[in-house]
Amino acid sequence: LMGMLMMQIAQFKREYAVRVQVVGIENWPEELPLLDADGRLSDAVQAGKLQELIEFSTAPWPRDPAAQATLAERAREAIATNQFDAVLLVYPDFSRRLRERIGLDSDGPTSGDANEVVDGDADGPIEQEKAIGLDSELQTKKTGGHPASGLQTVTNLARDRSQTAQSRLAQVLDQWREQWVAQQLARAGLSPKLVEPLQVQSTDTAPPKVRRAMLWSKILPFVMLVWALTGAFYPAIDLCAGEKERGTLETLLSSPARRQEIVWGKLATITVFSIGTALLNLLSMHVTAGIVVKQMVAHGAPGAAEALGPMPFHALGWLVVLLVPMAAFFSALALAVAALARSTKEGQYYLMPLLLVTLPLVALPMIPDLELNLGTSLVPVAGAVFLVRSLIEGRFAEAAMHFLPVLGVTALCCWTSIRWAIRQFESEAVMFRESERWNLRLWVHHLWRDRGDTATPAEAVLCGVIILVFMFFAQMLAGPSINSWTAIVQSTVAVQLGVILAPALLMAIMLTRSLRRALRIEVPRAEHLVLSLLLGVALHPLYRILGTQIAKVFPIGEDTQLALQFFERTVMEQPLWACAGLLALLPAVCEELTFRGFIFGGLAAHGRTARAIAVSALLFGFTHNLLPQSIAAVCMGLVLGVVAWRTGSVLCTMIVHGLNNLLTVTIAWYSTRDAEIPMALQWALRPGEQGWEYQPAWVLGAAALAALVAIRLYSSRRPAPPLSQPATGAEVS
């Protein structure tokens, strides 16, 4: 239906002739006129098809100086009232300036421009005035109140017809320029071919089959995966929320089958629907594409038919290879999300958020400059699409090189989504949720009455989402305004205190009974303090190496590098204590109270430690601006989560986090000043190309020390977790 509709609409497409007024045509060089006596393009221009697509009208150059001064303004009014689509102004000195530019007159060459933009009135549409120069110069010089080239176009780029008129007029002037240059060379006794001394013949070595495969390889995976997700979601809703409404879910769950077996049965059913939906749509597109190509050939468009061509049959085979694991992943994801729904109607509301999360990963391979490499192969969903694109286009060596990373990430995604679906079915609170009328007063009363010593998992996740939303808008509002040390201090303090710490503090005060327990501010044992100090020092060399390797896999752009260099240069000019306080200690306190305090404590309720470590680490990583920083922060967040779990205190994670930041800032501060490494530290540090770096021996020693500390920390006695359920009156007193 979409194809038929587009074909019907295409019948109305036609190229309309644009109207161009030429003011001062008598000022044009007589030896090579632009227009003939009938007001059409002269044969010397060799405009071809443009002859029928531009309607010219002429007007003499005004003699009154006042009229000359308002000529451009009257041209704008003519365009605004739809009399013309573009106006070409030929100034009286155009011929003279044209000769001066190539040194034919005694005054010498004068620079001109082909690209000057002048804004129109603020109240009206945007107009554009262009000084059309006859060379490739890109700088503008105005003399005597008009363009130095003596030629100017006036257009309104807010209108499509005016944009088309500008483009066609530029093509005409380019054709005239080539003829005029050839004429001047001939008069000077030179060959006109001097302006084109070299003609390069290009040869495309790619067979037509491969060129067509490259086109389809960008379109088909996107369409196929969208249909696979959609085809999995609606059966998942029917097998979860639909059974709740029909009353058959209780019967199924009371059967001798285990929950895990029920999930696998439903998952197999949904996967079959997902694969079937995607395959049927692919076959439909294959048939439709073949019919369209035949119609193109029949209607005399073999070039377009050859460029598009039928869908390569071998592409379907590789797409099926991609479809099977992706359908399993989408099916498990849809099943887990659909299990949350109380009704079919509610389940349908979950489709759009799920699509919004998945579509960027599916659409990422359609960006022209991205290709399969180690970085993109580690991106879920997108890496598999990149791999299949390489297989479709015949780059088998590249695909083989990145097959294992893609397979590992895809398998991890499938396993995680399946485990999540099984957990959803094992939770009675999820499977037997009942629809109820929501009341704001009762909801607020429930929050206040049923407060616990720590946050609930939902409150912890809500806190993380609020922080991410605030971080997004804070980055948008800050933008390029951070251009000084004062601005850096203000933005950093505002983000750390106002965006990261404030939501956790407010929610801990309002939604929990104990601020100290909600933020996990417990006095740690002396052993844990010592282990945290050792771990903070031992982890830093490994963290630096990890950051360097991540930056190689996911390199940042040049603009971002320049911004980071400016930030580092501005910060490192300040005293060391100021840098350490702003970039090391303040983030360590605020971020740990939030992520390893409030959020970790809420997620760790009912002994769900793995969930607390993973989710708090992901939220912690998302708050960092750059992708390499985010990945490194997630890895550090996992370590800090384990420390928070084993020690029971956020103070220990502050020590590890603060030491890591402090060592980074200190080494960078001394490195920018080309300071010599103290004798007492030369066993651990050495000068490098980018400042101080760690000795290889100390890197190995730090890794061994970190492993020993981790083993000891894991085997130490863990303190009892704080209460998460509502406290009784005696406990409160």
Side-chain angles (χ1 to χ4, degrees), residues 170-313:
Q171 295 180 42
V172 168
L173 293 176
D174 286 340
Q175 293 286 344
W176 184 89
R177 173 176 56 186
E178 293 179 3
Q179 298 300 321
W180 187 83
V181 171
Q183 186 184 82
Q184 301 304 317
L185 290 173
R187 288 183 178 181
L190 301 174
S191 172
K193 295 184 178 180
L194 286 174
V195 296
E196 294 182 0
L198 183 65
Q199 292 185 351
V200 180
Q201 180 180 1
S202 60
T203 302
D204 187 3
T205 60
K209 180 180 178 181
V210 176
R211 289 199 300 268
R212 292 195 299 267
M214 184 176 181
L215 174 64
W216 286 107
S217 67
K218 295 182 179 180
I219 302 175
L220 293 181
F222 177 82
V223 176
M224 183 194 68
L225 292 181
V226 170
W227 278 113
L229 177 59
T230 309
F233 192 79
Y234 288 103
I237 294 175
D238 185 73
L239 291 178
C240 293
E243 290 207 36
K244 290 181 182 179
E245 292 180 335
R246 293 189 294 268
T248 58
L249 184 62
E250 292 83 353
T251 304
L252 180 63
L253 295 178
S254 61
S255 66
R258 294 181 300 170
R259 299 290 176 91
Q260 184 174 352
E261 295 171 345
I262 295 174
V263 170
W264 280 108
K266 291 182 179 292
L267 182 62
T269 305
I270 298 170
T271 304
V272 169
F273 272 91
S274 176
I275 295 176
T277 303
L279 286 179
L280 287 174
N281 280 278
L282 283 176
L283 293 176
S284 175
M285 290 184 63
H286 180 69
V287 174
T288 305
I291 296 175
V292 170
V293 170
K294 291 181 180 179
Q295 291 295 321
M296 288 181 176
V297 175
H299 289 79
E306 183 180 356
L308 179 63
M311 186 187 305
F313 193 76

Side-chain angles (χ1 to χ4, degrees), residues 701-724:
L705 178 61
L708 292 176
V709 171
I711 293 173
R712 176 56 188 166
L713 189 64
Y714 190 83
S715 61
S716 63
R717 184 174 60 86
R718 184 168 59 90
L723 298 175
S724 58

Side-chain angles (χ1 to χ4, degrees), residues 486-609:
T486 303
I488 292 174
V489 172
Q490 293 175 350
S491 63
T492 304
V493 172
V495 168
Q496 292 295 329
L497 296 180
V499 176
I500 294 179
L501 184 59
L505 277 178
L506 292 176
M507 294 182 72
I509 293 172
M510 298 173 59
L511 303 178
T512 65
R513 295 179 180 272
S514 172
L515 181 64
R516 179 178 61 84
R517 289 187 174 182
L519 299 180
R520 296 173 61 86
I521 306 176
E522 305 288 345
V523 179
R525 303 208 310 262
E527 180 189 10
H528 289 163
L529 288 176
V530 175
L531 292 176
S532 300
L533 287 170
L534 294 175
L535 188 62
V537 174
L539 279 180
H540 188 256
L542 306 179
Y543 186 76
R544 288 196 66 176
I545 294 176
L546 176 65
T548 302
Q549 298 303 318
I550 292 175
K552 292 180 180 179
V553 176
F554 299 97
I556 59 178
E558 295 181 356
D559 294 339
T560 306
Q561 289 180 1
L562 293 176
L564 288 177
Q565 291 174 3
F566 171 79
F567 177 85
E568 183 178 355
R569 185 169 58 252
T570 304
V571 170
M572 293 307 159
E573 292 175 353
Q574 312 306 317
L576 179 59
W577 63 268
C579 299
L582 183 69
L583 302 180
L585 302 182
L586 181 63
V589 174
C590 297
E591 293 172 0
E592 291 309 311
L593 285 175
T594 299
F595 295 103
R596 255 65 60 180
F598 183 81
I599 294 178
F600 183 92
L603 292 171
H606 310 294
R608 307 294 288 272
T609 307

Side-chain angles (χ1 to χ4, degrees), residues 378 539-554 556 591-592 596 613-614 616-641 656-657 660-661 664:
L378 297 177
L539 279 180
H540 188 256
L542 306 179
Y543 186 76
R544 288 196 66 176
I545 294 176
L546 176 65
T548 302
Q549 298 303 318
I550 292 175
K552 292 180 180 179
V553 176
F554 299 97
I556 59 178
E591 293 172 0
E592 291 309 311
R596 255 65 60 180
I613 294 174
S616 62
L618 289 174
L619 294 174
F620 174 61
F622 289 157
T623 57
H624 293 72
N625 298 335
L626 302 179
L627 180 61
Q629 293 180 351
S630 297
I631 298 175
V634 169
C635 297
M636 177 59 72
L638 295 174
V639 176
L640 293 174
V656 178
H657 191 168
N660 184 77
N661 292 353
T664 300

Side-chain angles (χ1 to χ4, degrees), residues 310-346:
M311 186 187 305
F313 193 76
H314 75 280
L316 296 177
W318 291 120
L319 287 173
V320 172
V321 174
L322 169 67
L323 178 61
V324 174
M326 288 296 101
F329 171 56
F330 289 152
S331 299
L333 198 62
L335 183 62
V337 173
L340 297 171
R342 300 181 180 93
S343 63
T344 303
K345 184 177 181 180
E346 179 185 342

Side-chain angles (χ1 to χ4, degrees), residues 640-688:
L640 293 174
V642 174
V643 174
W645 169 44
R646 301 309 299 180
T647 63
S649 174
V650 75
L651 299 179
C652 293
T653 61
M654 287 183 187
I655 292 175
V656 178
H657 191 168
L659 277 176
N660 184 77
N661 292 353
L662 184 61
L663 290 173
T664 300
V665 172
T666 304
I667 291 176
W669 193 85
Y670 281 108
S671 297
T672 55
R673 286 163 170 74
D674 296 327
E676 294 185 1
I677 301 175
M679 291 292 297
L681 297 177
Q682 289 184 359
W683 59 272
L685 295 169
R686 65 177 182 179

